[in-house]
Amino acid sequence: MYEHANLVPGRREATVEVHRPTPLAPVPSAPVVPVQPGTIPAVTSIVLPDGRVVTGYSLEPAKPEPAAAKQPVSRAAVNIALGGIGFGAVCGGLFLLTAFITALTAFITQLITLAAVIFGGWVAVQVFNASGHSGGNTFNIRKAVFKRNHFHG
């Protein structure tokens, strides 16, 4: 049923090459040498709950060698390590502090510039007011009144 599902009429099917793996020659392994225990263990018999008796050698589990005692760490080495960690923390803190101060200075500079632009625009609107009224701005300087470049005493 599935053999002819992908065939197109009037078209020849391509030949299929089948690759079969080539088996490798067996590699001779080293002969297994039995290792004799240092002493002959005693033969032990165990009676199972169903009454059967199992006899065999009892082997003690392998015990790992005791770990070598750790040498104490000198106080000078501990102090140097802690000093290095403290120095790194201080350097990182100073870096963050200088970065914060730099960012704060840039922010304040931008605020001052923004205030100057806004105030300058307000002054420009006041000076170049095109409303057309003839009153003008009045400035009192030492009891002298200047109104649109005319002195009124």
Side-chain angles (χ1 to χ4, degrees):
M1 174 174 153
Y2 294 106
E3 297 171 356
H4 305 290
N6 294 330
L7 291 180
V8 177
R11 183 174 156 193
R12 288 187 180 179
E13 191 171 336
T15 59
V16 177
E17 292 182 32
V18 177
H19 297 280
R20 302 206 187 283
T22 306
L24 299 175
V27 177
S29 61
V32 178
V33 179
V35 177
Q36 297 294 330
T39 59
I40 298 175
V43 176
T44 308
S45 295
I46 299 174
V47 179
L48 298 176
D50 62 355
R52 293 182 292 162
V53 177
V54 178
T55 304
Y57 294 107
S58 63
L59 299 175
E60 295 182 16
K63 296 179 184 175
E65 294 184 19
K70 292 183 180 179
Q71 293 186 357
V73 179
S74 69
R75 258 180 119 57
V78 171
N79 290 340
I80 290 172
L82 291 176
I85 292 170
F87 179 75
V90 168
C91 288
L94 288 176
F95 175 74
L96 289 175
L97 180 66
T98 54
F100 175 74
I101 290 172
T102 304
L104 186 63
T105 303
F107 179 68
I108 291 172
T109 303
Q110 288 178 351
L111 286 180
I112 291 171
T113 304
L114 178 65
V117 168
I118 290 173
F119 181 70
W122 180 79
V123 168
V125 167
Q126 297 302 317
V127 169
F128 300 112
N129 193 0
S131 63
H133 69 356
S134 61
N137 293 330
T138 303
F139 298 97
N140 297 323
I141 302 171
R142 294 186 188 174
K143 295 185 180 179
V145 177
F146 292 92
K147 198 171 203 181
R148 289 258 182 186
N149 297 327
H150 298 285
F151 176 70
H152 299 279

